Amino acid sequence: MENKAPIVEVRHVSKCYHRGSQIIPVLQDITFDIGDGEFLALMGPSGSGKSTLLNLIAGIDKVDAGTITVGGIDITTLSEMDLARWRSVNVGFIFQFYNLIPVLTAFENVELPLLLTSLSKAERRAHVEMALRVVNLLDRMDHYPKQLSGGQQQRVAIARAIVTDPTILVADEPTGDLDRVSTGEIMELMDTLNTESGKTIIMVTHDPRAARKAHHIRNLDKGVLDSDAHP
Amino acid sequence: MKIPFSYSLRNLWTRRLTTTLTASGMALVVFVLAAILMLAQGLEKTLVETGSYDNVVVIRRSSVSEVQSAVERYQASIVETDPAVAIGDDGKRLFAKEILVLITLPKRGSNQPSNVAIRGISEESFRLRPQIKLLQGRMPRTGSAEIIAGVSVVKRFNGAEVGESLRFGMRDWTIVGVFDAGSTGFSSEIWGDADQLIQAFRRPVYSSLIFKLRDSAEFEIVRKRIENDPRLTLEAKRETQYYEEQSKMMAKFLRILGISLTVIFSLGAIIGAMITMYAAVANRIAEIGTLRALGFQRFSILIAFLMESLLLGLSGGLAGLICASLMQFVTISTVNFQTFSELEFAFSLNGEIIVTALSFSLLMGFVGGVLPAVRASRMNIVDALRES
């Protein structure tokens, strides 16, 4: 695959966790780029720091050292409030356990990120319906999460992630809670989003089958990133 | 932008049992608060409605009520001739010299003695209180030992029916009629001829003078004339003001009692709400992390949880208020501290009580919810998402 202009630039990022007086290094001097429209899989054993790295790129955690630039903005310099605003526009989240709000319908869950925009109600409705159409769940928009299967819930979560047309999609073990069939469906969907809509996807996974859909696989071990590899 | 209101509302509905139990605690507190405020309001309303704005009550200076007042006969004559006293169509002055004494009568059911006010009236007393209607029997004859009883007295005391007789002031008094004065204090009195009662109770003085103003605007002039006359040691008040003052002490006592009880009870309800809201936060940590990750600010999370707690308080407040509003159909009687006589009155609900009760329920919701809401808003996103 040809090299594309980087949309994410990670430079000398380090991160430690504190457990009492003990300091546990999680990421050590990580430097790499993610091209625009790239589908990257981050793999590695448990505790290797891949989720931490994803959280830092998504702007929900803070680096101890280094910089992360996404779409030309150095997110490590943003205040908490600015970072929240930035996330609402630039990041779509896909979680392992879907993280849908149980008291809201599929439609309302997908609409949530749009409440942070200045769109009118009618515009929000149009966006939500389009996102649900992409994940093929328009007929289930009035269903609550508990009325949907795991695969369907994850598709609603994907619709929520793409509804604002974010700069990057971050997915943390998106197939970790799904059966084989649903895993296949979700990965097909993510592949379509990447190939047809040009979405940049950064995915943390343990599942080699899921990683096969990615353009690049980067392995993390004990907080250190290994060399680039193609699936 | 805010997290949708439906999020808070549906979360309460999802936890129906917990919500109901917590709201019930708050409802109980609001019920107690509203009921006692309604009691105080009912007392005030009854006494204030007893008076007429155009009537003037004259009592001895510094006496708190008619019971403690004494007006000499010569003083009564001086006031009676005041030019501000209205004159009726028949040319008579609308002026009454009255006496108020207390007797004890056995209450229906318990047979326990309780104070009842006996009002000695003049010919013009009825014309000064047009709200009084004779329900049964006839008016008492001047110069006779005949009395008429207010409808509340008949209802609450033994031996007060028409045709029965009561013994007081070393005489037997025949009840010849029953009158209704609406929801006023007069309904809790027995009326008879003033001069007969003065003799019976060996009181050479009247308790009060009542007259209608020729022109209502003249009140201040009359008041100054009466209060500045060196022959008179009297004070004049509009009848409405007089009865309003009669209710003050009791109403104040009821309000202080109500607020004290409510504050004590509300501590329990607030702790209940706090436990419920802490549990709500603990059960929704991953949700909070998700909302924060999506871009909702800490303040939005704070408001969403606070809204939930306020809704909890409001639902308790509405339930308590609905129960309290049913108390309007209940009438009770109690001894008014200022007149020492039994007074019957109904619980009365007004806009101010509704606002106070609902505000208090919202306050309980706020106090109970603020700490859990702050906790929710201060959560670290990554830690919260780990709870998935």
Side-chain angles (χ1 to χ4, degrees), chain B residues 276-346:
Chain B
T276 301
M277 289 310 298
Y278 267 125
V281 172
N283 288 331
R284 303 211 314 261
I285 292 175
E287 271 177 53
I288 295 164
T290 306
L291 290 167
R292 293 274 291 115
L294 292 180
F296 287 96
Q297 304 280 357
R298 288 185 191 278
F299 186 69
S300 297
I301 305 287
L302 180 93
I303 294 296
F305 276 87
L306 213 46
M307 188 63 73
E308 203 168 311
S309 181
L310 288 172
L311 278 171
L312 193 63
L314 187 65
S315 55
L318 286 171
L321 207 52
I322 288 166
C323 293
S325 69
L326 299 175
M327 296 297 288
Q328 287 180 104
F329 302 107
V330 177
T331 54
I332 62 159
S333 66
T334 189
V335 174
N336 185 356
F337 294 170
Q338 241 147 325
T339 60
F340 307 109
S341 62
E342 279 254 335
L343 178 73
E344 188 185 71
F345 56 96

